[in-house]
Amino acid sequence: SDGKTLALTVSLTESATLAVQWGDVTKTSSTPRARHHFRGLPTPNTTPTTYRVSGPSGVILERTVKPIRPHGPLFVALYGDSRDGAGPHRRIAKAIADERPDVIVHTGDVVHSAGDTKGWVDHLTAALPMSASAPLVYALGKAGLDRTTFRSTLAMVWLAMNVALTTVFVLDGRLDGAE
């Protein structure tokens, strides 16, 4: 992100067309698919922004995103190693959401291995509600993903995200593939 716009990815269980209303901006996807990526959504600067995701049968999701403080300290929630149980992770995620941070950073050890589908489902079920009102950034470790797929898909070994006047960097320390 350039700090002025946001992107929203919506994953569905079945292919469908979607529309996203983000404040005064409406983006549509006319091709039925299970994953939709909407870019160029304005960052809430002074007032909360309500967004709605709609499918053929109506509104699927509605959330309000708070504005990020343009000045002053940035409140960051930092946590990690949530791979040993959905129950404890749900409680931690709720406690983080209740504190209303400006950005949430997960330091890795999300699942036991990249192919741990149940672990990913459990983690995302607990994590996504807290990310409804604050950006959630992952610094995934060796167990969290297949770096070859990650690099070929995203063509990068690092991520930088601007949040207000702060840039959050996530780096892959295994540039040469070594542990």
Side-chain angles (χ1 to χ4, degrees):
S1 165
D2 61 5
K4 297 177 185 164
T5 62
L6 300 173
L8 176 69
T9 300
V10 180
S11 296
L12 306 170
T13 55
E14 297 178 7
S15 293
T17 58
L18 281 182
V20 170
Q21 181 183 2
W22 185 275
D24 296 333
V25 174
T26 299
K27 303 266 184 173
T28 59
S29 176
S30 57
T31 304
R33 60 182 71 150
R35 186 170 179 237
H36 300 268
H37 194 67
F38 299 95
R39 298 174 194 263
L41 303 171
T43 301
N45 290 321
T46 57
T47 60
T49 297
T50 298
Y51 69 92
R52 288 171 198 79
V53 178
S54 301
S57 61
V59 175
I60 299 169
L61 175 73
E62 182 172 324
R63 293 283 189 269
T64 300
V65 180
K66 69 178 183 170
I68 296 172
R69 288 177 237 154
H71 306 290
L74 189 67
F75 181 28
V76 178
L78 183 68
Y79 81 116
D81 199 354
S82 56
R83 61 190 165 170
D84 287 327
H89 183 228
R90 262 198 281 310
R91 287 190 298 277
I92 292 168
K94 182 177 179 335
I96 290 171
D98 288 348
E99 292 298 322
R100 302 187 47 82
D102 295 309
V103 65
I104 304 161
V105 178
H106 192 293
T107 60
D109 289 336
V110 175
V111 293
H112 288 282
S113 67
D116 182 1
T117 303
K118 182 183 180 323
W120 274 109
V121 168
D122 289 347
H123 173 82
L124 292 173
T125 299
L128 291 180
M130 77 175 161
S131 70
S133 61
L136 175 56
V137 180
Y138 285 95
L140 296 176
K142 65 183 177 192
L145 51 84
D146 172 351
R147 281 182 170 70
T148 304
T149 303
F150 180 68
R151 288 184 181 147
S152 66
T153 303
L154 300 177
M156 63 182 187
V157 293
W158 59 274
L159 165 74
M161 180 177 127
N162 294 325
V163 180
L165 300 175
T166 302
T167 302
V168 177
F169 287 96
V170 177
L171 305 174
D172 182 347
R174 294 178 0 156
L175 296 178
D176 62 356
E179 289 296 318

